[in-house]
Amino acid sequence: MTIQQDEIEKIAELARIRIAPEEAAELTSRIANILTLVDQLQAIDTAGVEPMANPLDAVQRLRADTVTEANQRDVFQAIAPAVENGLYLVPKVIE
């Protein structure tokens, strides 16, 4: 795929990006190189390649699912302004 300088200028205008005239030629060349690379990647036959989530065969270590904190609900609710049946009561704020 090729791209022309006037297309770059139109895209910049639509995106509201200001490109100096002296930078437009270099930017066009760089974007053309990127598009050439994308074309090369799209030309590769990947029919027999299985998709993978990670190129490394890394496995994440998981921690044991155990309780590490003591239940302090009674301590915390003892200092709360209003509690009923183990729940915090708050004032109504919406009419």
Side-chain angles (χ1 to χ4, degrees), residues 63-69:
R63 63 174 172 80
D65 190 16
T66 57
V67 176
T68 58
E69 297 289 326

Side-chain angles (χ1 to χ4, degrees), residues 14-72:
L14 292 172
R16 308 261 195 267
I17 299 172
R18 183 178 302 142
I19 297 176
E22 59 274 5
E23 294 176 349
E26 179 189 353
L27 183 61
T28 302
S29 173
R30 291 172 59 191
I31 291 178
N33 290 340
I34 292 170
L35 293 175
T36 301
L37 177 63
V38 170
D39 285 341
Q40 290 175 359
L41 290 174
Q42 288 180 340
I44 297 171
D45 180 22
T46 59
V49 178
E50 182 179 339
M52 57 184 162
N54 188 331
L56 307 174
D57 289 330
V59 178
Q60 184 170 352
R61 294 182 297 140
L62 300 176
R63 63 174 172 80
D65 190 16
T66 57
V67 176
T68 58
E69 297 289 326
N71 183 359
Q72 298 182 16

